[in-house]
Amino acid sequence: TSTSTSTFTSTFTSTTTTTTTSGSLPVIIIPITPVVIVVSSISSVSTDGGQVTILGSGFGQGNSSSSSSRTLSVMVGPYTCMSPTIIRANISIACIMPQGTGYNYHVRVSVNGTSNNDTNFLFGYRPPSLSFVTTSVPTQGGYISLNGSSLGHNA
């Protein structure tokens, strides 16, 4: 009987394996560490949509939204955050939020079908902000102008 130790590195974890040879058949013992995905923050965008950054842990390695060994997806409430890309291994993801409105949306990050379970961090599109309002309206009525940002994508 002989024993050897080696290190195995996967997309999500580095694991030390032990191989024991008993007679002519090797027995490989690989401890499995579950992947835990945690979201700790998400940036905001205007109602026009745009890139958001999600910080957390357990996102995996690499810089593409999918590969033969990993599938990465992000849902923010009812919206799919498109083209998720790992910016910094296991720490940050960037993705593109579509046009939308609302707040208090739960952020769900999934890596190979495993999702974060916490719902502590909520996303909200930026609230409306006015930069100009018409100051005079004729007494017979008429239109007023409102200029600003995050007024809704159909405004």
Side-chain angles (χ1 to χ4, degrees):
T1 300
S2 66
T3 301
S4 66
T5 302
S6 62
T7 300
F8 169 75
T9 303
S10 72
T11 303
F12 303 107
T13 185
S14 179
T15 304
T16 301
T17 62
T18 304
T19 304
T20 303
T21 304
S22 177
S24 61
L25 298 174
V27 176
I28 299 174
I29 301 167
I30 302 174
I32 298 174
T33 304
V35 175
V36 178
I37 299 168
V38 176
V39 173
S40 59
S41 71
I42 182 170
S43 60
S44 186
V45 293
S46 76
T47 55
D48 292 329
Q51 181 174 303
V52 296
T53 301
I54 301 167
L55 299 178
S57 62
F59 301 146
Q61 307 288 325
N63 60 1
S64 65
S65 60
S66 64
S67 68
S68 60
S69 63
R70 177 179 43 82
T71 303
L72 174 65
S73 65
V74 178
M75 290 295 297
V76 180
Y79 301 102
T80 298
C81 199
M82 298 168 286
S83 304
T85 303
I86 294 176
I87 301 300
R88 189 164 176 212
N90 289 311
I91 295 174
S92 63
I93 297 172
C95 57
I96 308 298
M97 284 296 295
Q99 294 177 340
T101 58
Y103 59 95
N104 288 341
Y105 293 128
H106 294 283
V107 179
R108 179 75 59 210
V109 174
S110 296
V111 180
N112 287 339
T114 299
S115 300
N116 59 308
N117 291 324
D118 60 343
T119 55
N120 297 332
F121 292 93
L122 300 174
F123 172 83
Y125 285 94
R126 288 187 195 126
S129 174
L130 295 176
S131 59
F132 173 79
V133 178
T134 303
T135 56
S136 65
V137 178
T139 55
Q140 69 272 17
Y143 293 98
I144 62 170
S145 293
L146 303 173
N147 292 351
S149 61
S150 284
L151 299 175
H153 58 274
N154 292 324

